[in-house]
Amino acid sequence: MNAVTIVIASMCILAIAYRLYGTFMMVKVLKVNDDKPTPAHALEDGKDYVPTNKWVSFGHHFAAIAAAGPLVGPILAAQFGYLPGLLWLLIGAVIGGAVHDIVVLFASMRKNGKSLSEVAKDELGPVAGFCTGLSMLFIITITMAGLSMVVLHALERNPWGTFAVGITIPIAMGVGLFYKKTGNLKLASTIGFLFLMVGVFIGPWVQTTALGDFLTLDTKTLAIALPVYAFFAAALPVWLLLAPRDYLSSFMKIGVFIALIAGMFVVNPSIPFPAFTEFVKGGGPVLAGPVWPFISITIACGAISGFHAFVGSGTTPKMLNKWSDMKPVAFGAMLVECLVGIMALIAATALQPADYFAINSTPEVFRTLGMDVVHLPELSREIGLDLEGRTGGAVTLAVGMTYIFTEMPFFSHLASYFFQFVIMFEAVFILTAIDAGTRVARYLIQDFFGEVYKPLKKTDWIPGSVFASALACFMWGYLLYSGDIGSIWALFGVSNQLMASVGLIIGATIVLKIADKRRYILTCLIPLAYLYVTVNYAGYWMVRNVYLNPEAAGYSVLNGVLSIIMLLLGFIIIVAAVKKWAQMWRDPSLRMEASIPG
């Protein structure tokens, strides 16, 4: 198998899915039309509710949802071979992820941009709404701290990367102000992109100056700086920092992967990995569990992810200019993210299997595999870094992309540059999810605690916005600074997909309520049935074999208790949903609402 064949076939499948299935979801299932104003117009306040060009909205949404998941998840799942990950990425994204993202966005927009917990309360009752809100607040806190830890380690004592990432902040604010004043998106984009590239490419020079010494930061300093930045991203008007920064960052994200795709066609690397490895039954050096359910838990954002529900019911529904913009912004962005995941999978499986396992497992574990590395010593020399035992996936992606880029003409002596560039690129990729995620956490806190103090529910109330933003940053910032998040990060995989199940539950309720034909609920029920069973079995497997197993390396009673609590919250929500569906199925008067209220 070669990489070009996989890329072409995948792009064709995703393009057909967007054209046919995306249109079906918009026209037949959700019955979308542009006759009614979107929440961005109806509630326009110049701060949170801002009608935005659909491509700017796409850039923001894609940048926010595409974090570490589509990069790291497929790389870790490569342990099972290239085929399980490829199949789950394509099937999961088309049948599950794209449907999840568009129905969640639609459900939130029907409720004037309310969070998923508020929508759950309106549709399923107060108990389900409370459980959804508690789950979302728990997951978003873990997610922000966990993603920040990845960035923290990528930028630690890395002045080039710190400068290149940090310079995007003033550039984005300048672009936001320029676009706000002139309305000229093309000129604003061009200027912003050029400044972004200047910031990236002068990084190697910066690190040789006094500024480079100043930007050589340790982990504790970065652990304070990241929440401070996220506070301003959450509290400032969306048009000033968050949207233009995410929009500009999307140029880098998409540009790098276009370059990677081009490199695939030039180099056409073979895939030395087998379709299935011996570890599909479990016991692997990277992932301990079997291929199912862990292929669907490890590969999250590239196929389907509950984190997308935070963005789809947070910032994005307050920005869309027209209802029809949902198709490119939600359905389309999910399919593009799927392609990102496929490229990451190819970058990992383009390495020799022994090289891959040497990077992604500890030296002690690797020695037990009886494998001999092939190109790794040479790659380590060219990059100038010992690559063995650098687990977690980020270094593997950088090595794989560097390997492909340096096989292209004229680039063979730039291995060290490409490696550092990809490390920086990964940091930017993740940071755009952190700023949007923190803003979503702010909305969740305002909704959740607004039940006690009503003014907090007003997103335009400045004291409430500042308080909620500060509390959100403190919650995940404390975990980041103390490092306690490492003890519960393993929960993220299960809890993230559990939240995707909740998103599909809400989507199924909305579809049953508005669709002309009841069978259209299957668009949500089919992926929901698979995901819910998968998540619960994965949670049970982890609790039994790891968290509450004293002989396991990851033994933790706390993790076991938290896993059980999360699964119980999901069970309560789905019981409430099934009761609601049964009522709606029997009583036609509860169905056939207008798809877009007005």
Side-chain angles (χ1 to χ4, degrees):
M1 180 65 69
N2 60 66
V4 171
T5 301
I6 295 176
V7 172
I8 292 176
S10 299
M11 293 175 68
C12 289
I13 291 171
L14 296 175
I16 293 170
Y18 178 79
R19 177 67 180 86
L20 299 181
Y21 198 39
T23 302
F24 172 76
M25 288 296 302
M26 290 285 289
V27 176
K28 295 291 186 180
V29 179
L30 302 178
K31 299 187 294 184
V32 169
N33 65 76
D34 290 325
D35 293 339
K36 301 295 182 180
T38 63
H41 284 284
L43 302 173
E44 184 175 0
D45 59 8
K47 186 174 184 291
D48 292 308
Y49 291 86
V50 181
T52 307
N53 177 280
K54 71 177 179 180
W55 297 118
V56 176
S57 297
F58 172 89
H60 155 72
H61 187 80
F62 174 73
I65 65 173
L71 300 178
V72 176
I75 289 172
L76 299 179
Q79 167 191 278
F80 301 122
Y82 72 82
L83 192 56
L86 180 63
L87 290 176
W88 170 239
L89 281 164
L90 290 172
I91 297 172
V94 173
I95 304 299
V99 171
H100 169 274
D101 288 11
I102 201 169
V103 296
V104 167
L105 178 59
F106 179 75
S108 178
M109 290 179 68
R110 288 182 80 250
K111 300 293 184 179
N112 290 324
K114 288 183 178 180
S115 71
L116 197 62
S117 62
E118 289 291 294
V119 176
K121 184 171 69 174
D122 290 346
E123 299 294 341
L124 302 177
V127 175
F130 175 82
C131 292
T132 301
L134 188 60
S135 300
M136 293 178 72
L137 194 56
F138 175 80
I139 294 168
I140 199 72
T141 301
I142 295 175
T143 302
M144 293 304 97
L147 294 179
S148 297
M149 290 185 74
V150 177
V151 175
L152 186 147
H153 292 300
L155 300 183
E156 178 188 5
R157 304 192 183 281
N158 183 2
W160 176 12
T162 302
F163 174 78
V165 171
I167 199 67
T168 62
I169 299 172
I171 292 173
M173 295 180 73
V175 168
L177 290 168
F178 183 82
Y179 177 61
K180 184 75 172 177
K181 184 175 182 179
T182 66
N184 191 330
L185 178 62
K186 290 184 179 179
L187 183 59
S189 302
T190 302
I191 294 173
F193 180 71
L194 290 175
F195 274 109
L196 188 66
M197 289 300 97
V198 170
V200 169
F201 287 106
I202 67 174
W205 172 78
V206 167
Q207 66 182 358
T208 64
T209 66
L211 180 59
D213 295 334
F214 176 76
L215 293 175
T216 304
L217 306 177
D218 58 20
T219 55
K220 294 300 183 183
T221 304
L222 286 167
I224 296 173
L226 289 176
V228 169
Y229 157 73
F231 168 78
F232 287 104
L236 289 174
V238 68
W239 59 265
L240 179 59
L241 176 56
L242 189 146
R245 187 185 185 283
D246 289 355
Y247 174 65
L248 290 173
S249 297
S250 66
F251 280 112
M252 177 179 290
K253 294 179 178 183
I254 296 175
V256 167
F257 276 95
I258 289 176
L260 182 58
I261 292 172
M264 295 287 184
F265 281 92
V266 173
V267 178
N268 192 17
S270 60
I271 304 296
F273 258 71
F276 299 95
T277 69
E278 61 186 287
F279 303 115
V280 292
K281 296 181 180 179
V286 182
L287 300 170
V291 65
W292 185 85
F294 285 92
I295 191 71
S296 302
I297 299 301
T298 305
I299 300 180
C301 297
I304 181 170
S305 170
F307 177 71
H308 295 190
F310 294 102
V311 183
S313 66
T315 52
T316 302
K318 300 175 178 65
M319 298 169 59
L320 262 60
N321 186 47
K322 297 188 299 183
W323 289 89
S324 57
D325 290 349
M326 289 193 306
K327 183 181 176 183
V329 171
F331 204 94
M334 178 65 247
L335 298 186
V336 173
E337 188 174 6
C338 172
L339 185 60
V340 170
I342 290 171
M343 300 307 297
L345 179 66
I346 291 174
T349 54
L351 298 172
Q352 291 293 328
D355 294 346
Y356 165 86
F357 286 113
I359 297 173
N360 283 282
S361 57
T362 63
E364 295 78 15
V365 172
F366 179 71
R367 283 194 291 269
T368 66
L369 302 179
M371 296 180 175
D372 295 320
V373 295
V374 182
H375 300 303
L376 198 60
E378 179 184 350
L379 287 169
S380 296
R381 271 195 315 274
E382 292 177 352
I383 292 172
L385 188 69
D386 183 10
L387 300 174
E388 291 190 24
R390 294 185 174 269
T391 59
V395 169
T396 305
L397 177 63
V399 172
M401 292 180 68
T402 299
Y403 172 74
I404 292 171
F405 282 140
T406 54
E407 289 295 310
M408 299 173 67
F410 311 113
F411 293 159
S412 59
H413 301 294
L414 299 176
S416 179
Y417 177 87
F418 278 120
F419 178 84
Q420 294 294 342
F421 180 82
V422 174
I423 290 292
M424 180 274 301
F425 152 76
E426 291 178 279
V428 171
F429 217 92
I430 296 168
L431 270 176
T432 51
I434 291 173
D435 52 24
T438 302
R439 196 177 189 94
V440 172
R442 169 201 140 191
Y443 295 145
L444 286 173
I445 290 171
Q446 288 186 261
D447 283 339
F448 202 73
F449 292 102
E451 296 295 330
V452 178
Y453 187 63
K454 296 297 182 184
L456 270 178
K457 282 186 174 290
K458 299 178 181 179
T459 57
D460 59 348
W461 186 48
I462 295 177
S465 299
V466 172
F467 165 76
S469 299
L471 181 59
C473 293
F474 175 79
M475 287 167 60
W476 67 257
Y478 172 77
L479 294 174
L480 176 66
Y481 189 85
S482 65
D484 291 342
I485 188 62
S487 64
I488 57 173
W489 174 245
L491 290 172
F492 173 69
V494 171
S495 60
N496 182 52
Q497 299 302 61
L498 182 62
M499 183 52 60
S501 300
V502 174
L504 288 170
I505 289 171
I506 302 301
T509 307
I510 297 296
V511 170
L512 185 59
K513 179 176 287 188
I514 68 172
D516 294 326
K517 299 177 181 179
R518 289 184 293 182
R519 67 172 178 267
Y520 288 162
I521 194 177
L522 292 175
T523 58
C524 294
L525 285 188
I526 290 174
L528 171 61
Y530 171 80
L531 198 62
Y532 188 75
V533 171
T534 300
V535 164
N536 279 272
Y537 180 71
Y540 164 77
W541 195 96
M542 289 296 295
V543 168
R544 179 181 178 182
N545 295 286
V546 179
Y547 297 146
L548 300 185
N549 180 6
E551 298 180 359
Y555 172 70
S556 170
V557 174
L558 175 62
N559 283 6
V561 171
L562 291 174
S563 295
I564 294 170
I565 292 174
M566 289 297 299
L567 295 178
L568 285 175
L569 288 173
F571 178 75
I572 293 171
I573 295 168
I574 201 165
V575 167
V578 170
K579 290 182 178 179
K580 181 71 173 181
W581 297 340
Q583 293 174 357
M584 295 169 65
W585 198 271
R586 292 191 302 263
D587 187 353
S589 66
L590 299 176
R591 305 195 308 271
M592 299 307 296
E593 286 188 5
S595 62
I596 300 174

